[in-house]
């Protein structure tokens, strides 16, 4: 069993930056692909970014590509989401998720249905 706890959310002005962290419990963090998803009020949850077990493959949604960077530190059992040039439309609850079935060299999944573990989420609000 893995527990995920996000932190780093908050209120920021448009154009600003935030860094989200997701700390994992358990001994097998390095065997999970990790993803970040977000859900805005009245909208469905959407994929933001994902990273493979070893960190060699990263994927981004078109809406955040070039502005957000996902990374992980397996020794610290933490995955990060650096968010730059934030826009009001980035306002949402951000959740990290872990996929226990992903291979070390496999691309991480884009679908939230493929992820087994979820954090509680952290609110990001971008003011205009």
């Amino acid at each position: 069993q893995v527990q995920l706890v996000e932190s780093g959310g908050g209120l920021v002005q448009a154009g600003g930056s935030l860094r989200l962290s997701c700390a994992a419990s358990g001994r097998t963090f390095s065997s999970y692909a990790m993803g970040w998803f977000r859900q805005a009020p009245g909208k469905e949850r959407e994929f933001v970014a994902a990273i493979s077990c070893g960190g060699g493959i990263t994927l981004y949604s078109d809406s955040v590509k070039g502005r957000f960077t996902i990374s992980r530190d397996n020794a610290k059992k933490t995955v990060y989401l650096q968010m730059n040039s934030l826009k009001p439309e980035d306002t949402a609850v951000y959740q990290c998720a872990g996929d226990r079935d992903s291979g070390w060299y496999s691309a991480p999944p884009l679908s939230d249905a493929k992820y087994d573990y979820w954090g509680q989420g952290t609110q990001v609000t971008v003011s205009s």
Side-chain angles (χ1 to χ4, degrees):
Q1 189 73 16
V2 173
Q3 290 187 326
L4 304 173
V5 180
E6 302 96 336
S7 61
L11 174 64
V12 63
Q13 288 189 332
S17 298
L18 283 174
R19 188 194 197 200
L20 305 184
S21 299
C22 173
S25 65
R27 296 178 293 176
T28 56
F29 176 76
S30 61
S31 66
Y32 300 132
M34 297 297 296
W36 284 97
F37 292 80
R38 66 187 182 186
Q39 187 168 19
K43 295 188 177 181
E44 293 187 353
R45 183 162 57 193
E46 66 171 347
F47 169 79
V48 176
I51 188 167
S52 59
C53 299
I57 302 173
T58 55
L59 302 173
Y60 298 92
S61 69
D62 289 342
S63 62
V64 307
K65 196 173 297 182
R67 299 188 297 122
F68 291 11
T69 302
I70 188 170
S71 62
R72 66 189 296 163
D73 185 332
N74 285 341
K76 295 183 178 179
K77 295 189 288 186
T78 301
V79 62
Y80 305 97
L81 185 68
Q82 178 66 45
M83 305 186 295
N84 298 330
S85 303
L86 282 161
K87 304 175 181 179
E89 51 263 44
D90 295 318
T91 295
V93 174
Y94 285 71
Q95 289 179 282
C96 67
D99 170 28
R100 65 187 176 195
D101 296 322
S102 187
W104 185 263
Y105 298 107
S106 300
L110 305 181
S111 170
D112 59 357
K114 297 290 188 180
Y115 287 84
D116 306 289
Y117 304 109
W118 291 86
Q120 82 289 349
T122 186
Q123 176 70 46
V124 172
T125 303
V126 185
S127 63
S128 58

